[in-house]
């Protein structure tokens, strides 16, 4: 296991009685649960710090090409996001992380499911691929943990949009489902993604500058309708919100039909990605 490393908001979580578990891959400590978590519902608003989940930045010349090969969902335009299937070479489902295209050669990948570490390791493996002549296929591409760059907060639930609107001014609106935008939440400039889930529960991913993360975290929790949630309960909710999440129990890749993946909206047509030719 990697050396254990606290996240930016580690002290804030300690104040809330958090228990932590480290990522096997990076050693970064994520909140497994809070002492007073109790029964949680998406009928109000839930706030999770995704630090300790897999959070990758794929960048550099060829970064989008690598992402298009590793991720088998929608071909994203800059400013778009979608859950994207990740398949092994034999067409088995390894995971379905959220992907955000934040630049021409830049894709952010975030995964909070049970198979998150396997997905991250697989993408890193593909980044080191070589062509038939033995040359590196992606020599200019970097795949790196982004935990020190922007802090990932997930605000979800029926009242999530109402809470977010309180921070927007001058007629600004949150992004549409599947869209990524730069917004000022009061004085804090953040990357905001409207996470589109089949269940339709509103959810927003906020990528926050580290220097402002503590201020925004405390501000969000000042709303009586917002409750903090740890990763264990978050994964339980994801299993209800995302139809593929229940398949990803961490025991290994699973066989899922092409029809099911297409029905979930996480698979594109064609064969330009790993595992496409081997799908059932």
């Amino acid at each position: 296991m990697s050396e254990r490393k606290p996240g930016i908001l580690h002290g804030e979580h300690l104040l809330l009685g958090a228990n932590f578990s480290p990522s096997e891959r990076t050693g970064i400590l994520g909140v497994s649960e809070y002492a007073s978590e109790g029964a949680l519902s998406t009928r109000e608003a839930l706030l999770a710090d995704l630090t300790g989940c897999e959070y990758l930045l794929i960048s550099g010349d060829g970064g989008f090409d690598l992402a298009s090969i590793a991720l088998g969902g929608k071909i994203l335009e800059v400013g778009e996001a979608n859950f994207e299937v990740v398949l092994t070479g034999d067409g088995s489902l390894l995971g379905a992380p959220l992907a955000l295209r934040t630049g021409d050669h830049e894709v952010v990948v975030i995964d909070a499911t049970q198979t998150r570490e396997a997905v991250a390791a697989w993408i890193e493996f593909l980044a080191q691929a070589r062509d038939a002549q033995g040359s590196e296929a992606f020599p200019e591409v970097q795949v790196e943990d982004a935990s020190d760059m922007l802090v990932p907060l997930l605000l979800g639930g029926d009242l999530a949009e109402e809470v977010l609107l309180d921070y927007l001014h001058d007629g600004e609106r949150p992004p549409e489902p599947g869209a990524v935008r730069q917004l000022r939440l009061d004085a804090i400039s953040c990357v905001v993604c409207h996470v589109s889930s089949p269940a339709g529960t509103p959810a927003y991913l906020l990528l926050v500058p580290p220097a402002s993360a503590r201020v925004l975290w405390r501000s969000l929790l000042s709303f009586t309708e917002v409750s903090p949630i740890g990763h264990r309960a978050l994964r339980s909710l994801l299993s209800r919100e995302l139809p593929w999440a229940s398949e990803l129990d961490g025991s290994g890749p699973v066989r899922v039909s092409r029809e099911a993946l297409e029905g979930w909206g996480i698979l594109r047509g064609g064969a330009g990605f790993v595992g496409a030719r081997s799908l059932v």
Side-chain angles (χ1 to χ4, degrees):
M1 180 187 294
S2 302
E3 180 184 354
R4 297 188 177 194
K5 296 178 283 187
I8 298 294
L9 294 175
H10 187 78
E12 298 298 307
H13 302 315
L14 286 174
L15 293 174
L16 295 171
N19 293 319
F20 300 90
S21 59
S23 163
E24 292 288 337
R25 213 178 60 85
T26 65
I28 298 172
L29 293 171
V31 176
S32 56
E33 60 191 356
Y34 294 100
S36 58
E37 205 163 286
L40 297 169
S41 169
T42 57
R43 286 177 293 182
E44 292 194 346
L46 302 172
L47 179 64
D49 176 8
L50 299 187
T51 299
C53 298
E54 289 302 330
Y55 177 22
L56 299 179
L57 174 65
I58 304 172
S59 62
D61 189 15
F64 183 64
D65 296 331
L66 169 62
S68 299
I69 290 171
L71 307 171
K74 178 182 178 182
I75 294 291
L76 299 174
E77 300 292 335
V78 175
E80 289 186 335
N82 195 48
F83 288 101
E84 302 262 335
V85 69
V86 175
L87 303 175
T88 59
D90 68 357
S92 296
L93 175 64
L94 186 60
L98 178 68
L100 296 69
R101 189 171 180 189
T102 51
D104 288 337
H105 306 288
E106 189 175 276
V107 176
V108 172
V109 177
I110 294 185
D111 195 343
T113 67
Q114 293 279 58
T115 60
R116 59 196 180 280
E117 292 173 352
V119 166
W122 180 243
I123 292 173
E124 289 182 336
F125 171 77
L126 294 177
Q128 299 168 12
R130 294 183 176 273
D131 59 25
Q133 288 71 44
S135 301
E136 293 182 50
F138 306 103
E140 305 299 325
V141 173
Q142 291 182 308
V143 179
E144 53 193 323
D145 180 82
S147 300
D148 293 332
M149 301 177 189
L150 294 171
V151 178
L153 304 180
L154 183 67
L155 177 67
D158 292 345
L159 300 183
E161 182 175 348
E162 181 179 313
V163 171
L164 191 61
L165 281 170
D166 196 70
Y167 291 88
L168 300 179
H169 308 286
D170 301 324
E172 278 195 314
R173 298 286 303 177
E176 296 297 315
V180 182
R181 287 174 55 195
Q182 189 91 21
L183 290 175
R184 292 188 70 82
L185 305 185
D186 285 342
I188 301 172
S189 181
C190 302
V191 176
V192 180
C193 170
H194 189 157
V195 181
S196 181
S197 78
T201 302
Y204 297 92
L205 176 67
L206 315 177
L207 301 180
V208 187
S212 304
R214 182 173 288 104
V215 171
L216 186 58
W217 174 262
R218 290 186 175 184
S219 176
L220 288 166
L221 288 182
S222 71
F223 289 82
T224 57
E225 58 267 43
V226 177
S227 301
I229 181 175
H231 296 176
R232 185 176 299 171
L234 175 62
R235 285 193 289 272
S236 178
L237 287 174
L238 290 177
S239 294
R240 303 205 310 258
E241 293 288 316
L242 307 176
W244 58 86
S246 59
E247 301 279 350
L248 305 173
D249 61 3
S251 61
V254 294
R255 299 295 285 179
V256 179
S257 70
R258 174 183 286 274
E259 289 74 18
L261 296 171
E262 289 175 342
W264 294 336
I266 59 175
L267 180 75
R268 67 178 183 265
F273 53 93
V274 172
R277 300 181 188 279
S278 303
L279 276 170
V280 177

